[in-house]
């Protein structure tokens, strides 16, 4: 049972570079989301999707793009990396927005220098 | 303003002691979840409470949802070193269109052998 798979686990970027964090789930969950976790700030919602083709902004969406072309995949794109985007990123999925119990991936530790 | 306030922020106790951590809000939640996160890992769901006044037990862990569905507590009996971790509460706001799962900043628990 793979659950929620995130890649890569670690990444170092230079300021201004772009990259995509991958997230895939094999549980046929409708709802997927991206969070960032920073010391003292807790988990903050970046973007979420209630189903294929539908995405919306969370609490801290600036500098990030998402798309949901399939139920399984929900990539997060950093358009032009900034040091303020140094963080640990978690992807999560839930059966639906009505049943919000979340299953998390193992995280991507991103450093922007 | 943090929607979900967790207290205490840090807690260090001896093995065998009891403890309670709290999750409070001024908003009403349709449900509340508790997660535990270990270093380098994603959060893992412990329990969901849905009904006001509900009490759920998971071995030595007791979870309670406030009558007004604005707060919750987690009580651990006879804490063990394996209970060490970051405890997060998360809630889905009550009402239509509440697609966002909001997290508290967490309580970091250390159980000393």
């Amino acid at each position: 049972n793979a659950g929620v798979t995130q890649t890569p686990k670690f990444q170092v970027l230079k300021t201004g570079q772009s990259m995509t964090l991958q997230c895939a789930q094999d549980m046929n969950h409708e709802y997927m989301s991206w969070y960032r976790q920073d010391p003292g700030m807790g988990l903050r919602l970046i973007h979420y999707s209630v189903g294929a083709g539908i995405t919306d902004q969370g609490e801290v969406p600036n500098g990030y793009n998402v798309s949901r072309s399939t139920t399984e995949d929900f990539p997060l794109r950093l358009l032009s990396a900034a040091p303020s985007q140094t963080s640990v990123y978690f992807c999560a999925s839930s059966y639906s927005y009505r049943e919000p119990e979340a299953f998390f991936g193992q995280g991507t530790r991103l450093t922007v220098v | 303003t943090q929607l979900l306030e967790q207290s205490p922020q840090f807690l260090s106790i001896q093995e065998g002691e009891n403890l309670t951590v709290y999750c409070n809000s001024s908003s009403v939640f349709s449900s509340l979840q508790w997660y535990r996160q270990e270093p380098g890992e994603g959060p893992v769901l412990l329990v969901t409470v849905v009904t006001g006044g509900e009490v759920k037990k998971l071995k030595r862990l007791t979870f309670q949802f406030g009558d007004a569905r604005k707060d919750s507590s987690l009580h651990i009996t006879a804490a063990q070193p394996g209970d060490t971790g970051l405890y997060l509460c998360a809630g889905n706001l009550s009402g239509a269109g509440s697609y966002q799962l909001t997290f508290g900043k967490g309580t970091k628990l250390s159980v000393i052998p």
Side-chain angles (χ1 to χ4, degrees):
Chain A
N1 291 339
V4 179
T5 303
Q6 287 185 238
T7 56
K9 289 205 70 173
F10 302 94
Q11 183 71 49
V12 178
L13 285 179
K14 293 183 179 179
T15 297
Q17 286 185 319
S18 61
M19 79 159 294
T20 299
L21 279 61
Q22 301 292 344
C23 176
Q25 53 92 9
D26 62 357
M27 298 174 281
N28 201 32
H29 283 173
E30 288 184 352
Y31 187 96
M32 296 186 75
S33 52
W34 277 101
Y35 292 87
R36 59 178 290 173
Q37 188 173 35
D38 303 292
M41 300 295 291
L43 282 159
R44 292 182 293 170
L45 183 65
I46 304 171
H47 285 285
Y48 64 94
S49 169
V50 299
I54 306 169
T55 64
D56 207 345
Q57 297 180 352
E59 180 186 355
V60 288
N62 291 341
Y64 307 95
N65 272 357
V66 292
S67 59
R68 184 99 179 268
S69 55
T70 67
T71 299
E72 294 79 17
D73 299 300
F74 191 43
L76 178 73
R77 283 183 288 278
L78 279 70
L79 310 172
S80 177
S84 61
Q85 293 179 304
T86 294
S87 187
V88 181
Y89 291 85
F90 288 99
C91 177
S93 74
S94 307
Y95 181 71
S96 76
Y97 73 89
R98 295 183 189 86
E99 298 182 38
E101 294 88 348
F103 294 81
F104 283 83
Q106 287 203 306
T108 296
R109 184 173 293 273
L110 175 69
T111 302
V112 182
V113 298
Chain B
T1 304
Q2 190 74 12
L3 204 56
L4 281 167
E5 298 282 351
Q6 289 192 246
S7 60
Q9 193 175 353
F10 300 97
L11 189 56
S12 182
I13 62 170
Q14 294 290 130
E15 182 176 0
E17 292 183 348
N18 301 333
L19 67 114
T20 302
V21 298
Y22 301 92
C23 175
N24 295 300
S25 177
S26 57
S27 300
V28 176
F29 287 89
S30 56
S31 67
L32 257 171
Q33 295 100 51
W34 285 92
Y35 296 80
R36 182 169 67 209
Q37 184 180 21
E38 298 186 17
E41 302 289 331
V44 175
L45 179 69
L46 296 173
V47 79
T48 298
V49 286
V50 178
T51 306
E54 182 177 6
V55 176
K56 280 192 174 178
K57 292 192 175 184
L58 189 68
K59 297 183 180 178
R60 294 176 294 101
L61 278 60
T62 302
F63 304 86
Q64 185 160 8
F65 201 12
D67 290 341
R69 291 186 289 134
K70 292 182 178 181
D71 55 85
S72 181
S73 63
L74 158 60
H75 181 79
I76 300 179
T77 303
Q80 299 177 0
D83 295 327
T84 293
L86 179 67
Y87 288 82
L88 296 158
C89 67
N92 196 34
L93 279 170
S94 184
S98 300
Y99 302 138
Q100 301 190 24
L101 190 62
T102 302
F103 281 82
K105 293 184 179 181
T107 293
K108 191 169 185 179
L109 172 64
S110 297
V111 182
I112 303 163

